[in-house]
Amino acid sequence: MPTNKVILDLAISLDGYIEEPNGEVDWCIMDEEMNFNHFLDQIDTIIYGRKSYDLWGEFMPNLKDDQFGDKTMWDQIHSKHKFVFTNQHYNDKDRTKYINSDDISGMVFKIKEHSNKDIWLYGGSKIITTFINLNLIDEYRLSIHPVILGSGKPLFEHIQNRVNIALCDTHVYKSGVVQMIYQKLDEK
Protein backbone atom coordinates (compact mmCIF):
# COMPACT_ATOMS: atom_id res chain seq x y z
CA MET A 1 0.00 0.00 0.00
CA PRO A 2 1.55 3.36 -1.01
CA THR A 3 2.37 5.72 1.86
CA ASN A 4 2.61 8.90 -0.17
CA LYS A 5 -0.23 11.39 0.15
CA VAL A 6 -2.61 13.19 -2.17
CA ILE A 7 -2.43 16.80 -0.98
CA LEU A 8 -4.92 19.49 -1.87
CA ASP A 9 -2.84 22.68 -1.62
CA LEU A 10 -4.98 25.63 -2.54
CA ALA A 11 -5.46 29.35 -2.03
CA ILE A 12 -8.95 30.42 -0.95
CA SER A 13 -10.58 33.70 -0.03
CA LEU A 14 -11.87 34.28 3.48
CA ASP A 15 -15.38 33.62 2.19
CA GLY A 16 -14.39 30.28 0.62
CA TYR A 17 -13.86 31.04 -3.08
CA ILE A 18 -10.97 29.68 -5.15
CA GLU A 19 -11.44 32.16 -8.00
CA GLU A 20 -13.62 35.08 -8.95
CA PRO A 21 -16.58 34.71 -11.38
CA ASN A 22 -14.39 35.14 -14.49
CA GLY A 23 -11.54 33.00 -13.17
CA GLU A 24 -9.53 35.87 -11.69
CA VAL A 25 -6.89 34.88 -9.14
CA ASP A 26 -5.01 38.18 -8.92
CA TRP A 27 -5.84 38.30 -5.21
CA CYS A 28 -3.55 35.34 -4.47
CA ILE A 29 -0.42 36.37 -2.63
CA MET A 30 2.87 34.76 -3.63
CA ASP A 31 5.07 35.53 -0.65
CA GLU A 32 8.64 34.20 -0.22
CA GLU A 33 7.91 33.64 3.47
CA MET A 34 5.35 30.99 2.47
CA ASN A 35 8.23 28.89 1.04
CA PHE A 36 6.20 27.34 -1.75
CA ASN A 37 9.36 25.82 -3.22
CA HIS A 38 9.64 23.63 -0.10
CA PHE A 39 6.17 22.24 -0.88
CA LEU A 40 7.23 21.64 -4.49
CA ASP A 41 10.24 19.66 -3.24
CA GLN A 42 7.84 17.30 -1.42
CA ILE A 43 5.94 16.32 -4.57
CA ASP A 44 6.80 14.68 -7.87
CA THR A 45 3.31 14.54 -9.39
CA ILE A 46 0.47 17.00 -10.03
CA ILE A 47 -3.15 16.07 -10.74
CA TYR A 48 -5.34 18.48 -12.71
CA GLY A 49 -8.81 18.62 -14.15
CA ARG A 50 -8.70 19.49 -17.84
CA LYS A 51 -9.87 23.10 -17.49
CA SER A 52 -7.26 23.85 -14.83
CA TYR A 53 -4.58 22.19 -16.90
CA ASP A 54 -5.56 24.27 -19.93
CA LEU A 55 -5.12 27.44 -17.83
CA TRP A 56 -2.11 26.54 -15.69
CA GLY A 57 -0.57 23.25 -16.80
CA GLU A 58 1.90 24.89 -19.16
CA PHE A 59 1.67 28.45 -17.85
CA MET A 60 4.83 30.54 -17.69
CA PRO A 61 4.55 34.09 -16.33
CA ASN A 62 5.89 37.17 -18.02
CA LEU A 63 9.33 37.74 -16.48
CA LYS A 64 8.32 41.32 -15.57
CA ASP A 65 5.21 40.16 -13.67
CA ASP A 66 6.00 38.64 -10.28
CA GLN A 67 2.32 38.23 -9.32
CA PHE A 68 2.40 34.53 -10.24
CA GLY A 69 5.81 33.68 -8.80
CA ASP A 70 9.14 33.47 -10.53
CA LYS A 71 10.37 31.47 -13.49
CA THR A 72 12.33 29.10 -11.21
CA MET A 73 9.14 28.14 -9.37
CA TRP A 74 7.31 27.49 -12.64
CA ASP A 75 10.25 25.49 -14.02
CA GLN A 76 10.03 23.35 -10.89
CA ILE A 77 6.27 22.89 -11.34
CA HIS A 78 6.73 21.92 -14.99
CA SER A 79 9.39 19.34 -14.08
CA LYS A 80 6.73 17.22 -12.30
CA HIS A 81 4.72 14.36 -13.77
CA LYS A 82 1.23 15.60 -14.62
CA PHE A 83 -2.00 13.66 -14.83
CA VAL A 84 -5.05 15.33 -16.31
CA PHE A 85 -8.46 13.81 -15.62
CA THR A 86 -10.79 14.55 -18.51
CA ASN A 87 -13.86 13.18 -20.29
CA GLN A 88 -12.27 14.04 -23.64
CA HIS A 89 -9.52 12.22 -25.52
CA TYR A 90 -6.12 13.86 -25.91
CA ASN A 91 -2.70 12.60 -26.88
CA ASP A 92 -0.24 12.37 -23.99
CA LYS A 93 2.67 14.79 -23.92
CA ASP A 94 6.22 14.43 -22.63
CA ARG A 95 5.43 14.70 -18.89
CA THR A 96 1.62 14.86 -19.14
CA LYS A 97 -0.74 11.90 -19.25
CA TYR A 98 -4.45 12.38 -19.96
CA ILE A 99 -6.75 10.03 -18.08
CA ASN A 100 -10.23 9.21 -19.31
CA SER A 101 -11.52 6.62 -16.85
CA ASP A 102 -14.59 5.95 -14.74
CA ASP A 103 -12.36 4.27 -12.13
CA ILE A 104 -10.84 7.41 -10.63
CA SER A 105 -10.01 5.68 -7.32
CA GLY A 106 -8.17 2.90 -9.15
CA MET A 107 -6.26 5.40 -11.27
CA VAL A 108 -5.23 7.41 -8.20
CA PHE A 109 -3.98 4.21 -6.55
CA LYS A 110 -1.86 3.48 -9.65
CA ILE A 111 -0.51 7.05 -9.66
CA LYS A 112 0.41 6.71 -5.97
CA GLU A 113 2.18 3.40 -6.68
CA HIS A 114 4.36 5.04 -9.34
CA SER A 115 5.08 8.28 -7.46
CA ASN A 116 8.08 8.45 -5.18
CA LYS A 117 6.87 11.55 -3.36
CA ASP A 118 3.55 13.13 -2.45
CA ILE A 119 1.02 14.17 -5.09
CA TRP A 120 -0.45 17.66 -5.45
CA LEU A 121 -4.13 17.80 -6.34
CA TYR A 122 -4.08 21.16 -8.08
CA GLY A 123 -7.70 21.45 -9.17
CA GLY A 124 -10.13 22.68 -10.48
CA SER A 125 -13.27 22.57 -8.47
CA LYS A 126 -14.90 19.65 -10.30
CA ILE A 127 -11.96 17.27 -9.81
CA ILE A 128 -11.52 18.49 -6.22
CA THR A 129 -15.18 17.72 -5.49
CA THR A 130 -14.82 14.28 -7.08
CA PHE A 131 -11.72 13.53 -4.99
CA ILE A 132 -13.47 14.70 -1.80
CA ASN A 133 -16.55 12.59 -2.56
CA LEU A 134 -14.34 9.54 -3.25
CA ASN A 135 -12.33 10.21 -0.05
CA LEU A 136 -9.05 10.39 -2.02
CA ILE A 137 -7.50 13.46 -0.36
CA ASP A 138 -5.09 12.67 2.46
CA GLU A 139 -4.12 16.22 3.39
CA TYR A 140 -5.82 19.59 2.97
CA ARG A 141 -3.42 22.57 2.88
CA LEU A 142 -5.67 25.60 2.66
CA SER A 143 -4.12 29.04 2.48
CA ILE A 144 -6.76 31.59 3.42
CA HIS A 145 -6.02 34.94 1.82
CA PRO A 146 -7.04 38.24 3.39
CA VAL A 147 -9.75 39.09 0.89
CA ILE A 148 -13.53 38.67 0.71
CA LEU A 149 -14.59 38.14 -2.89
CA GLY A 150 -18.36 37.99 -2.46
CA SER A 151 -18.82 35.64 -5.41
CA GLY A 152 -16.96 33.22 -7.60
CA LYS A 153 -16.22 29.51 -7.61
CA PRO A 154 -16.59 28.03 -4.11
CA LEU A 155 -14.11 25.42 -2.89
CA PHE A 156 -16.70 23.15 -1.30
CA GLU A 157 -19.73 22.47 -3.45
CA HIS A 158 -21.83 19.33 -3.99
CA ILE A 159 -20.07 17.39 -1.22
CA GLN A 160 -21.97 14.13 -0.67
CA ASN A 161 -20.67 12.94 2.69
CA ARG A 162 -19.00 14.30 5.77
CA VAL A 163 -15.20 14.07 5.76
CA ASN A 164 -13.55 14.04 9.18
CA ILE A 165 -10.22 15.82 9.28
CA ALA A 166 -7.83 16.95 12.03
CA LEU A 167 -5.85 20.17 12.19
CA CYS A 168 -2.14 19.32 12.15
CA ASP A 169 -0.43 22.66 11.66
CA THR A 170 -1.01 26.35 11.03
CA HIS A 171 1.19 29.09 9.63
CA VAL A 172 0.46 32.80 9.87
CA TYR A 173 2.38 34.98 7.42
CA LYS A 174 3.16 38.70 7.50
CA SER A 175 1.09 39.10 4.32
CA GLY A 176 -2.05 38.14 6.26
CA VAL A 177 -2.32 34.68 4.70
CA VAL A 178 -3.15 31.93 7.19
CA GLN A 179 -2.33 28.39 6.10
CA MET A 180 -4.14 25.54 7.82
CA ILE A 181 -3.05 21.96 7.27
CA TYR A 182 -5.54 19.18 7.96
CA GLN A 183 -5.12 15.44 7.61
CA LYS A 184 -7.85 12.96 6.88
CA LEU A 185 -8.83 10.88 9.88
CA ASP A 186 -8.78 7.13 9.40
CA GLU A 187 -12.23 5.66 9.05
CA LYS A 188 -13.26 3.29 11.80
Side-chain angles (χ1 to χ4, degrees), residues 63-103:
L63 295 177
K64 296 176 186 172
D65 181 8
D66 64 352
Q67 174 188 348
F68 295 110
D70 62 19
K71 183 181 181 312
T72 304
M73 180 192 79
W74 284 98
D75 285 342
Q76 192 173 5
I77 289 170
H78 295 317
S79 72
K80 310 297 181 185
H81 298 285
K82 298 177 182 182
F83 292 88
V84 181
F85 283 84
T86 178
N87 292 324
Q88 301 172 19
H89 293 280
Y90 294 92
N91 293 324
D92 293 343
K93 298 178 183 177
D94 181 35
R95 299 190 69 78
T96 303
K97 180 171 177 52
Y98 292 90
I99 297 174
N100 185 315
S101 173
D102 292 332
D103 183 15

Side-chain angles (χ1 to χ4, degrees), residues 11 20 34 39 42 46 52 54 64 68 87 103 108 115 120 123 139 146 157 165-166 172 174 183-184:
E20 290 185 75
M34 297 166 78
F39 171 71
Q42 295 175 290
I46 304 172
S52 289
D54 287 350
K64 296 176 186 172
F68 295 110
N87 292 324
D103 183 15
V108 170
S115 296
W120 178 17
E139 184 174 290
E157 191 173 45
I165 56 178
V172 179
K174 293 175 191 167
Q183 290 191 350
K184 175 174 66 174

Side-chain angles (χ1 to χ4, degrees), residues 15-82:
D15 53 346
Y17 294 102
I18 59 175
E19 61 185 43
E20 290 185 75
N22 295 316
E24 302 93 339
V25 293
D26 59 337
W27 49 271
C28 289
I29 298 168
M30 291 299 296
D31 185 332
E32 279 187 42
E33 182 187 17
M34 297 166 78
N35 200 3
F36 190 64
N37 288 331
H38 176 69
F39 171 71
L40 293 175
D41 288 340
Q42 295 175 290
I43 66 165
D44 64 0
T45 303
I46 304 172
I47 294 176
Y48 296 87
R50 195 226 3 114
K51 290 179 186 175
S52 289
Y53 181 81
D54 287 350
L55 288 172
W56 300 105
E58 297 179 27
F59 177 80
M60 187 59 77
N62 181 327
L63 295 177
K64 296 176 186 172
D65 181 8
D66 64 352
Q67 174 188 348
F68 295 110
D70 62 19
K71 183 181 181 312
T72 304
M73 180 192 79
W74 284 98
D75 285 342
Q76 192 173 5
I77 289 170
H78 295 317
S79 72
K80 310 297 181 185
H81 298 285
K82 298 177 182 182

Side-chain angles (χ1 to χ4, degrees), residues 159-178:
I159 305 302
Q160 297 171 351
N161 299 299
R162 179 173 64 189
V163 178
N164 294 315
I165 56 178
L167 181 65
C168 298
D169 205 354
T170 59
H171 303 279
V172 179
Y173 300 105
K174 293 175 191 167
S175 62
V177 172
V178 177

Side-chain angles (χ1 to χ4, degrees), residues 84-137:
V84 181
F85 283 84
T86 178
N87 292 324
Q88 301 172 19
H89 293 280
Y90 294 92
N91 293 324
D92 293 343
K93 298 178 183 177
D94 181 35
R95 299 190 69 78
T96 303
K97 180 171 177 52
Y98 292 90
I99 297 174
N100 185 315
S101 173
D102 292 332
D103 183 15
I104 293 175
S105 295
M107 292 305 300
V108 170
F109 185 81
K110 287 179 184 177
I111 292 168
K112 287 178 91 169
E113 281 187 316
H114 291 96
S115 296
N116 296 315
K117 296 182 177 183
D118 290 332
I119 300 160
W120 178 17
L121 173 57
Y122 182 89
S125 64
K126 186 175 177 182
I127 194 72
I128 290 169
T129 298
T130 299
F131 271 56
I132 292 170
N133 286 333
L134 292 173
N135 202 23
L136 295 173
I137 301 172

